[in-house]
Amino acid sequence: MGKVYESPAAALAGLTFDGMSVMSGGFGLCGIPENLIAALRDSGAGGLTVISNNAGVDGFGLGQLLETRQIAKMISSYVGENKEFERQYLSGELELEFNPQGTLAERIRAGGAGIPGFYTKTGVGTLVAEGKEAKSFDGEDYIMETGLKADLSIIKAWKGDAEGNLIFNATARNFSPMMAMAGNVTVAEVEEIVPVGSLDPNFIHTPGIFVQRLVKTVSEKRIEQLTVRERA
């Protein structure tokens, strides 16, 4: 079977199960795999550990999985736009592992590169360092962070070909190339599927070896906080 699937549900078929870990690309609502998230919701898989920069907004993106109580734990760096997330966390319904944003990105990159852990100065002397191994290098203190991997990575790209080679659009690139490397299986939704060989190899951000399935989707392209200039 080729890598191209006819729908998000078909692309996730056989890949979801209770208690699985999922990496979800995107920064806020920019570049999120919104159609695959909806398909993951419809799969009914629960007890999920979701690794994502944030948790979307109420009723959209990963916010949908919070509303259906399918997420048991989030590993994130920013959660400020989702009231349901806040409510579940403060009431003890949702486990949260906070990471500084750069540390989260590096943990994902390390996981994809086969690096089990690394030392960083970020978080030294703060709550982030609690329970973590500390070590000094050249008189400076560091804490050890572990690499992250996931059973499934879901990402969104601008263009892709049938071999799974992907190009992301501007800042929508964000965490997705790293997550594609760190997932045991990576599924990508793309805005356009182009013929194999038409993408310039010099501009491919994620080689197809890291993508097992892809599906063409239409995105809603929401804006988290719309700010417009008042009419003069």
Side-chain angles (χ1 to χ4, degrees):
M1 174 181 283
K3 293 184 178 182
V4 179
Y5 286 71
E6 62 181 10
S7 69
L12 292 187
L15 300 180
T16 61
F17 55 91
D18 291 346
M20 70 185 303
S21 56
V22 180
M23 287 186 178
S24 181
F27 187 93
L29 295 184
C30 178
I32 66 169
E34 59 196 71
N35 295 284
L36 289 172
I37 291 171
L40 180 58
R41 175 202 59 199
D42 295 342
S43 77
L48 305 176
T49 294
V50 177
I51 302 162
S52 174
N53 180 60
N54 66 358
V57 297
D58 292 288
F60 191 71
L62 291 175
Q64 298 175 92
L65 297 178
L66 289 168
E67 290 186 351
T68 53
R69 307 291 197 277
Q70 287 170 266
I71 299 177
K73 177 180 180 180
M74 289 287 305
I75 301 177
S76 301
S77 64
Y78 176 72
V79 294
E81 301 292 339
N82 193 310
K83 293 294 184 186
E84 179 60 17
F85 184 107
E86 177 183 328
R87 188 199 66 74
Q88 290 187 24
Y89 172 62
L90 293 177
S91 65
E93 298 175 32
L94 178 70
E95 185 179 354
L96 172 62
E97 183 178 335
F98 253 135
N99 276 201
Q101 195 162 90
T103 298
L104 177 64
E106 182 61 10
R107 290 184 71 190
I108 297 168
R109 191 201 68 80
I115 299 170
F118 60 92
Y119 288 95
T120 176
K121 289 180 67 66
T122 304
V124 171
T126 73
L127 291 174
V128 171
E130 287 190 357
K132 294 175 181 171
E133 178 185 324
K135 196 168 184 177
S136 293
F137 295 91
D138 296 327
E140 299 285 340
D141 293 331
Y142 294 78
I143 58 173
M144 191 183 78
E145 297 281 358
T146 56
L148 289 170
K149 299 186 72 174
D151 297 308
L152 171 68
S153 287
I154 51 176
I155 59 175
K156 177 182 175 182
W158 177 34
K159 292 182 178 180
D161 65 22
E163 297 294 335
N165 297 301
L166 303 177
I167 292 177
F168 302 90
N169 186 19
T171 55
R173 184 173 171 183
N174 55 67
F175 291 85
S176 294
M178 296 176 292
M179 289 183 171
M181 296 174 63
N184 291 339
V185 178
T186 294
V187 182
E189 62 175 86
V190 298
E191 297 182 35
E192 181 181 0
I193 296 179
V194 300
V196 173
S198 64
L199 297 176
D200 184 337
N202 293 304
F203 294 98
I204 291 174
H205 299 127
T206 293
I209 193 172
F210 297 116
V211 179
Q212 283 69 50
R213 299 182 180 185
L214 75 161
V215 57
K216 183 181 182 304
T217 61
V218 177
S219 300
E220 190 173 329
K221 297 184 184 297
R222 283 199 189 187
I223 297 174
E224 287 178 81
Q225 296 184 8
L226 180 62
T227 302
V228 298
R229 184 178 61 187
E230 293 184 0
R231 292 183 180 277

